[in-house]
Amino acid sequence: MKTVFVKTHSSHEATAKVYMTSSINAEGLMKVYEALGKKAAGKTAVKISSGEPGGHHFLSPQLIAPLVKEADGTIVECNTAYGGRRADTESHKKVMAEHGFAAIAPIDIMDEDGDMSLKVNGGTHLKENYVGSHLSQYDFLINLAHFKGHAMGGFGGVLKNMSIGIASAMGKSWIHSAGKEKTGFGLDTPQDDFLESMAEAAKSIVEYVGDNILYINVMNNLSVDCDCDSHPAKPEMEDIGIFASLDPVALDQACVDQVYAAGDGKALIERMESRHGIHTVEHGEKIGIGTRNYELISVDE
């Protein structure tokens, strides 16, 4: 392993380690997982996005299967708040089977039996976060995200994957409305309030799970649109790699920096900037989830 560079974005005292590989395959994913030095233990949830039917940019089962098997993991998701085939558990499980995930591991829609409330400490907008109740059944969480653009958040990485992603259907509305509504999409919510609420919901997960969590972003199929879009825009940039850290703020910041450093990231940069997407990372650091300063370490030989 070798240090690629150290990046400082703030006056935060800490600097986190972010590991990377340019090999977007099962072997590369296993390499960054092993570099973290933290093995999944106990009953392990692997949080991915199941992908909206019609879309095809979600993480492939072939890519993630060895990691899921190594962790003896259960692939977990929660239902959506906007209708469609992922809005109820029965249909959502069928989608996950159609997308190949049920063939590689057990599947759990964590809000199948409702939700539970997690306390949000130090939040500006949220005092509690509503998540799938099955989260309580797991000892360890692998936050395995597909980094890409997003129509509302600007981009989605590990912070979104454990805030909106682990929120129950009701909890998704709660976050989108910055703690004002338990139904709907919060379309009138000020943008920064929504972004800050995502970071605050993520903090509740971090504090609930404790040290038994790790974070991975796969930077491929870099569309401006999320995997929750049934007709996502075609990616306008080349795949970059797989990145991993024990710090979610540092990881998402490093991936944003990779987009800016790429020569073909214009469309995704415009999407991120037009939604002020970096503010989720900024607020995450402010409320104590992690640091925006990081050391980028390559595991490639």
Side-chain angles (χ1 to χ4, degrees):
M1 292 188 288
K2 62 181 180 180
T3 297
V4 179
F5 57 76
V6 177
K7 192 83 168 181
T8 302
H9 282 279
S10 73
S11 58
H12 199 278
E13 291 183 2
T15 299
K17 288 180 168 60
V18 176
Y19 299 92
M20 70 154 294
T21 177
S22 58
S23 298
I24 306 179
N25 52 39
E27 292 76 19
L29 181 57
M30 289 302 299
K31 273 190 174 183
V32 295
Y33 166 67
E34 291 165 358
L36 292 174
K38 181 186 286 286
K39 296 292 186 181
K43 188 174 182 181
T44 298
V46 182
K47 173 62 182 74
I48 63 163
S49 169
S50 54
E52 194 68 23
H56 49 274
H57 294 154
F58 53 84
L59 298 179
S60 77
Q62 292 74 25
L63 171 66
I64 70 172
L67 173 58
V68 177
K69 183 178 180 180
E70 170 71 19
D72 193 21
T74 297
I75 294 176
V76 303
E77 255 282 31
C78 286
N79 291 317
T80 67
Y82 54 75
R85 290 184 56 209
R86 298 193 300 146
D88 68 273
T89 298
E90 183 178 357
S91 296
H92 200 165
K93 285 182 177 179
K94 289 180 180 178
V95 169
M96 296 188 82
E98 291 168 7
H99 288 178
F101 297 115
I104 66 169
I107 299 297
D108 182 11
I109 307 300
M110 291 195 294
D111 59 339
E112 178 177 6
D113 298 312
D115 45 46
M116 67 179 188
S117 174
L118 300 184
K119 184 178 181 182
V120 176
N121 294 304
T124 303
H125 310 283
L126 305 186
K127 302 304 178 188
E128 56 186 343
N129 178 35
Y130 301 102
V131 303
S133 64
H134 291 186
L135 180 64
S136 64
Q137 300 175 9
Y138 295 94
D139 305 304
F140 198 97
L141 176 62
I142 297 177
N143 183 341
L144 179 54
H146 173 213
F147 187 94
K148 69 287 176 190
H150 190 271
M152 298 184 73
F155 72 90
V158 290
L159 290 172
K160 178 181 178 294
N161 195 44
M162 68 177 168
S163 55
I164 295 291
I166 293 179
S168 63
M170 181 180 76
K172 289 175 171 63
S173 295
W174 190 244
I175 295 168
H176 273 283
S177 66
K180 294 182 174 62
E181 301 170 6
K182 295 181 179 179
T183 59
F185 315 114
L187 297 179
D188 296 327
T189 304
Q191 180 67 3
D192 280 3
D193 290 1
F194 161 56
L195 300 175
E196 290 168 4
S197 296
M198 278 205 294
E200 291 170 13
K203 184 182 183 186
S204 76
I205 301 295
V206 171
E207 294 185 342
Y208 178 78
V209 178
D211 292 332
N212 297 324
I213 185 170
L214 55 84
Y215 310 92
I216 303 172
N217 272 332
V218 180
M219 298 191 72
N220 68 344
N221 295 317
L222 290 158
S223 171
V224 299
D225 292 319
C226 181
D227 297 338
C228 60
D229 192 321
S230 59
H231 297 91
K234 182 179 179 180
E236 296 184 31
M237 59 187 303
E238 296 295 321
D239 296 346
I240 296 176
I242 305 177
F243 296 72
S245 183
L246 299 179
D247 184 315
V249 173
L251 180 55
D252 274 358
Q253 179 67 66
C255 292
V256 168
D257 289 344
Q258 288 293 309
V259 175
Y260 276 90
D264 54 1
K266 181 179 178 181
L268 184 48
I269 291 170
E270 189 281 330
R271 174 58 59 91
M272 293 191 298
E273 291 186 348
S274 65
R275 273 65 167 184
H276 197 201
I278 196 62
H279 190 57
T280 306
V281 179
E282 293 172 340
H283 194 63
E285 182 181 64
K286 180 180 178 181
I287 62 177
I289 306 177
T291 176
R292 296 174 66 202
N293 304 327
Y294 62 90
E295 176 186 4
L296 186 64
I297 303 167
S298 173
V299 301
D300 295 336
E301 295 179 1

